[in-house]
Amino acid sequence: MDAAMGMAKIANGDLPDGLIDRLKAIVGAKGWVTDADALQPHVTEPRGLYVGRTPLLLKPSTTDEVSRILALCNSSRVGVVPQGGNTGLVGGGVPHADGGEIILSLARLDRIREVDPLNYTLTVEAGCILADVQAAADAAERLFPLSLGAEGSCRIGGNLSTNAGGTGVLRYGNVRELTLGLEVVLADGTVWDGLNRLRKDNTGYDLKHLFIGAEGTLGVITAAVLKLFPKPRDVATGLVAIRDLPAVIELLSRLRAASGDAVTGFEYIARIGIDFATAHVAGIVDPLAKRYAHYALVELSTPAPDGDLQNVLERLMAAAIEDGLVIDGVIAQNSAQAQALWRLREAVAESQKFEGGSIKHDVSVPVSRVADFIAAATAACTDAMAGIRPVPFGHVGDGNIHFNLSQPKDMDSDAFLAEWPRINRIVHDIVVGMGGSISAEHGIGQLKREELRRYAVPAKLDLMTRIKHALDANNIMNPGKVL
Ligand code: FAD
Ligand code: ZN
């Protein structure tokens, strides 16, 4: 990892003479940062895996300013790293350590441009914080269903650029499925106004999909038209202990069919995740009296006000207990209890850092193979290293497992993290062997670039390279990320 490079002194001699002043002039006094301390959080990846360097962070407040910045950087051949909330987990939003790139923060492009409840759309600028987008939808009696742990600080442009997933994908899809239109500034400064508010439009290539999930390598997203949905009026949430891994998937499949496809959340948690969460996160308690090996957090919801979902969930759980799929469980009786169950799920992710080094895998397999995958990867990793502690959890409703591994209790954490590539290889080989993906929701960035090169079919890499060249011939857009 690049963390070893540490924090070098910020120099600004790496950019062409006079460029910094010309860039500052575009954005005005409020729109730039050069102070090393103020830059520090913007050059550091959230887990500290990558620490980069830059002489300049720009905060444009209009699309026109973004356009002028890119035109100037393109003619000067200077790399631009777009940044939203810098919560991305693959090192995509931070510059390299050579100090030759600028950061372009979208934080000041944060206006809600239009709410259209009848069209069920919301038009927002890229710098809007996800939680603010959700709130704007809610104020219009609508739902914007993208929801993830970082929603208080990640920004919609970052969500779009990573094609973010989260906990609502099972019902509503990734952010790609939630987008109707985009406004994008291309590498040469051209503004593409693709703020389409249509549900049907077959006029040629659907260009927005090039930029969604491109991690800032093809252009800068400045605004988007997002799809809204009716607000859920009835929600039922439960935590259940499940017989074994195959039963987890069987239960999901049954609940979908028997609830009229009302399942909007289905998150797997292994016992060790509950142990970590209750040990390390204040206020988290195990809601069940006994210990079990496998759990799922289940949420049903519907816009119908009289859906009676709590009774539906209780009835379905009773039947699953009868059939031996479910062993035990609780169903929230009010929204405070439901929130406590979701906090437990979030705490599983948060608490791992208190158990020393952790090697992460954000992978997906077909939903029907999830149980096989967790069993095979657990066996292979425990064979590869005595005492290693698998902590699988996540969005099994989408086949997406965060297959994280905590270090053996008595091991040095640096020595454990040095095994990252070896353990990745073992897990990723199993994933790919099952027709899965080595990056289900976090993207490629710097962290998985070599893995993409290894596992992607050559025709895909070739097409990606040709698209990159066509849109960004001078390679100024987030160079060295993804490809
Ligand atoms: P950044 O980290 O700033 O940037 C991410 C990438 O997008 C970078 O490559 C950057 O260059 C590029 N970029 C940013 N803005 C733009 C733009 N306007 N135009 C072009 N390129 C741009 N992710 C999930 O998918 N699901 C989860 O459930 C989830 N849970 C998380 C929980 C926690 C606690 C944390 C810390 C992260 C989680 N993530 C999750 C990862 C992360 O939050 C998402 O990837 C998020 O979408 C990133 O948004 P951001 O604004 O922070 O983007
Ligand atoms: Zn996730």
Side-chain angles (χ1 to χ4, degrees), residues 112-457:
I112 306 278
R113 288 198 191 160
E114 189 194 45
V115 186
D116 186 347
L118 286 182
N119 197 41
Y120 279 79
T121 52
L122 187 60
T123 306
V124 298
E125 293 185 343
C128 290
I129 289 180
L130 175 55
D132 295 338
V133 176
Q134 295 165 345
D138 192 67
E141 292 297 314
R142 299 287 181 261
L143 171 73
F144 180 62
L146 182 67
S147 174
L148 46 100
E151 65 198 19
S153 51
C154 62
R155 296 177 188 267
I156 195 72
N159 301 143
L160 287 157
S161 299
T162 55
N163 185 26
T167 53
V169 176
L170 176 58
R171 163 72 77 77
Y172 299 101
N174 295 292
V175 79
R176 187 184 294 287
E177 281 85 48
L178 302 175
T179 310
L180 292 177
L182 289 184
E183 178 186 85
V184 178
V185 181
L186 304 179
D188 65 0
T190 304
V191 179
W192 171 51
D193 179 351
L195 288 174
N196 193 342
R197 304 189 307 139
L198 305 173
R199 309 228 164 216
K200 288 194 162 181
D201 171 31
N202 285 340
T203 53
Y205 304 149
D206 198 343
L207 297 176
K208 64 177 178 283
H209 290 304
L210 278 179
F211 301 97
I212 299 172
E215 300 181 51
T217 61
L218 298 179
V220 175
I221 297 174
T222 47
V225 182
L226 304 171
K227 276 190 207 167
L228 302 180
F229 294 82
K231 234 162 100 162
R233 303 283 167 190
D234 188 11
V235 182
T237 312
L239 183 82
V240 291
I242 303 176
R243 186 188 64 213
D244 54 20
L245 282 165
V248 173
I249 306 306
E250 172 68 25
L251 179 68
L252 165 66
S253 164
R254 270 199 196 191
L255 286 179
R256 289 192 60 185
S259 68
D261 218 3
V263 182
T264 42
F266 195 92
E267 299 281 316
Y268 172 73
I269 309 173
R271 177 67 223 180
I272 190 172
I274 308 247
D275 287 341
F276 285 5
T278 51
H280 300 299
V281 183
I284 300 294
V285 288
D286 181 350
L288 299 176
K290 289 196 194 150
R291 297 167 60 86
Y292 303 96
H294 308 282
Y295 299 80
L297 172 60
V298 179
E299 182 192 87
L300 308 184
S301 74
T302 165
D306 53 357
D308 199 22
L309 283 183
Q310 193 168 318
N311 283 328
V312 172
L313 188 55
E314 274 166 16
R315 205 165 23 77
L316 293 176
M317 287 310 167
I321 289 175
E322 188 109 316
D323 296 342
L325 288 178
V326 168
I327 317 167
D328 197 356
V330 285
I331 291 173
Q333 300 300 308
N334 52 50
S335 63
Q337 289 180 1
Q339 277 165 24
L341 294 179
W342 277 108
R343 270 204 305 279
L344 168 64
R345 159 64 182 83
E346 294 304 337
V348 172
E350 231 173 279
S351 57
Q352 250 204 300
K353 59 175 179 277
F354 302 104
E355 292 283 333
S358 164
I359 297 176
K360 321 259 184 191
H361 304 88
D362 160 37
V363 298
S364 66
V365 293
V367 176
S368 51
R369 308 280 333 249
V370 165
D372 296 342
F373 164 71
I374 295 178
T378 299
C381 291
T382 42
D383 276 356
M385 190 190 293
I388 197 169
R389 293 174 295 163
V391 190
F393 66 92
H395 326 293
V396 294
D398 320 313
N400 176 193
I401 306 299
H402 295 305
F403 191 79
N404 293 351
L405 296 140
S406 281
Q407 64 169 80
K409 278 189 177 141
D410 47 5
M411 191 171 178
D412 172 65
S413 96
D414 286 341
F416 177 70
L417 292 177
E419 298 278 2
W420 192 301
R422 183 170 76 99
I423 300 293
N424 269 186
R425 180 70 49 249
I426 292 169
V427 174
H428 289 164
D429 280 351
I430 295 171
V431 166
V432 172
M434 291 185 175
S437 167
I438 59 154
S439 181
E441 60 177 10
H442 300 157
I444 299 295
Q446 309 182 50
L447 183 66
K448 294 190 179 169
R449 208 180 53 174
E450 298 312 318
E451 293 297 275
L452 177 69
R453 220 193 291 275
R454 181 183 182 96
Y455 290 110
V457 294

Side-chain angles (χ1 to χ4, degrees), residues 6-124:
M7 283 294 293
K9 190 172 170 299
I10 307 278
N12 88 19
D14 302 303
L15 265 48
D17 272 356
L19 180 69
I20 290 185
D21 287 340
R22 290 172 69 198
L23 289 166
K24 284 178 178 173
I26 294 173
V27 291
K30 283 191 196 150
W32 53 267
V33 178
T34 54
D35 175 71
D37 289 340
L39 286 172
Q40 163 118 30
H42 296 278
V43 297
T44 310
E45 184 262 356
R47 296 165 179 157
L49 289 180
Y50 298 95
V51 182
R53 198 162 72 94
T54 185
L56 178 67
L57 176 139
L58 293 174
K59 292 199 265 181
S61 68
T62 64
T63 301
D64 179 59
E65 286 177 6
V66 175
S67 161
R68 285 156 62 204
I69 291 166
L70 290 195
L72 184 51
C73 288
N74 193 44
S75 59
S76 313
R77 309 284 195 268
V78 167
V80 177
V81 182
Q83 193 173 86
N86 193 22
T87 68
L89 298 174
V90 290
V94 293
H96 296 290
D98 62 14
E101 297 158 334
I102 63 152
I103 299 177
L104 192 152
S105 162
L106 280 300
R108 287 172 74 219
L109 233 94
D110 64 348
R111 284 160 286 247
I112 306 278
R113 288 198 191 160
E114 189 194 45
V115 186
D116 186 347
L118 286 182
N119 197 41
Y120 279 79
T121 52
L122 187 60
T123 306
V124 298

